[in-house]
Amino acid sequence: MKQLLFDLCRIGGVSGSEEPIAKFCAEKLSAFADTTIDKNGNVIATLGNANADKTILLDAHLDRIGFIVTSINENGFVKVASCGGIDVRVLSDAVLVSCSDEPVKGVVCCMPPHLSDGGEDKAAPIDKVWIDFGLPYEKVAEKIKIGDVLTFYGEPKELMNKRITAPALDDRCGIAALIRCAELIGNDRKNVPVKIVSRKPIIIICVVVNENLFFIIAPINLCSRLLRVGQIQLVQIQLHLDMLLGV
């Protein structure tokens, strides 16, 4: 179980780019259940009698918090926007990693305490933060593109007294619990069907066209792609898929 959790925490899957974690979960769940990935990227595993009158639903989140690249300046420093609820207090000097086939690491720039006049004691907002990959612009531009996603870098570790620490531990604990549930009941086909869902968040996007305001419900991965080409303004409202069924 611990190894499963560590494997889950090592995988990317920032909101809007959950494909790696979805594929991993589908592979694990398929050993115990009929498993599919729907067009919105949700992983759905079904056990038991699919024709029964009632269904038990177990679900958890696939995604993890991170950042989306918004610009790269002439010196190779990168600006980002948040994907999810980022605690800016932990950003200074944090190591971030790109969620790409060839991950690259960068560090959040901060003023050293001995050079500070006291004004840097407060956490900087994300739009004031720069990421340094240690490379000139030409090299950064080869490895990092506008719209790429980054997340916090960190290796899962075991602490004393059987405690563990890892990035994305909260959501990935939920997924690990679902996979374990599937394993426990997979060989015991109950009469009541069980649906195990690892899902992506849904958000509302706000679009202004000719001074008219429109709201569209869409999967967050679609919104991320639109954001990359600057076509929409995102409203920071996230709704779960089950709240939107029937809308």
Side-chain angles (χ1 to χ4, degrees):
M1 187 69 176
K2 182 182 70 177
Q3 187 57 54
L4 170 62
L5 184 55
F6 279 13
D7 290 343
L8 287 165
C9 290
R10 289 189 178 100
I11 301 173
V14 173
S15 301
S17 301
E18 294 95 338
E19 291 82 1
I21 187 65
K23 181 180 179 181
F24 179 89
C25 292
E27 290 175 353
K28 290 293 183 180
L29 288 167
S30 63
F32 317 110
D34 298 327
T35 306
T36 60
I37 300 178
D38 70 12
K39 63 182 180 180
N40 290 323
N42 302 298
V43 181
I44 303 172
T46 305
L47 302 92
N49 180 7
N51 298 317
D53 294 334
K54 295 182 179 180
T55 300
I56 298 172
L57 173 67
L58 307 175
D59 74 331
H61 284 284
L62 279 172
D63 63 327
R64 62 187 290 180
I65 60 173
F67 309 85
I68 185 168
V69 175
T70 57
S71 67
I72 306 172
N73 75 5
E74 65 277 7
N75 295 314
F77 290 93
V78 173
K79 267 194 176 299
V80 295
S82 63
C83 292
I86 301 294
D87 185 349
V88 295
R89 296 174 300 174
V90 302
L91 272 183
S92 293
D93 204 32
V95 177
L96 306 183
V97 61
S98 62
C99 301
S100 56
D101 293 336
E102 298 181 4
V104 290
K105 301 182 185 72
V107 63
V108 177
C109 301
C110 64
M111 181 70 73
H114 62 283
L115 298 179
S116 170
D117 61 3
E120 290 77 18
D121 290 343
K122 295 182 179 180
I126 291 178
D127 61 353
K128 301 296 183 183
V129 165
W130 290 97
I131 317 299
D132 183 3
F133 287 91
L135 297 170
Y137 171 81
E138 292 76 15
K139 294 294 185 181
V140 172
E142 290 177 4
K143 300 177 181 294
I144 302 291
K145 308 297 182 185
I146 305 299
D148 282 358
V149 291
L150 315 172
T151 193
F152 290 101
Y153 174 77
E155 275 293 310
K157 295 181 176 63
E158 185 169 1
L159 307 177
M160 293 187 293
N161 198 25
K162 297 182 179 179
R163 301 295 195 268
I164 62 174
T165 179
L169 192 57
D170 51 352
D171 283 0
R172 301 303 161 84
C173 277
I175 296 175
L178 295 191
I179 295 174
R180 178 58 175 160
C181 285
E183 181 181 5
L184 291 173
I185 65 178
N187 295 323
D188 184 9
R189 296 288 178 171
K190 303 294 185 182
N191 187 50
V192 176
V194 178
K195 283 190 179 292
I196 295 177
V197 180
S198 296
R199 63 187 177 182
K200 302 176 68 169
I202 297 289
I203 70 172
I204 293 178
I205 58 176
C206 170
V207 183
V208 179
V209 180
N210 296 330
E211 299 184 354
N212 294 311
L213 185 63
F214 299 89
F215 290 93
I216 304 173
I217 298 171
I220 196 168
N221 61 327
L222 171 61
C223 297
S224 296
R225 293 190 188 105
L226 291 173
L227 176 63
R228 294 174 190 181
V229 294
Q231 293 179 350
I232 63 171
Q233 175 185 359
L234 294 183
V235 176
Q236 297 293 321
I237 301 174
Q238 293 196 9
L239 300 175
H240 292 167
L241 181 60
D242 54 347
M243 296 172 60
L244 298 171
L245 292 178
V247 174

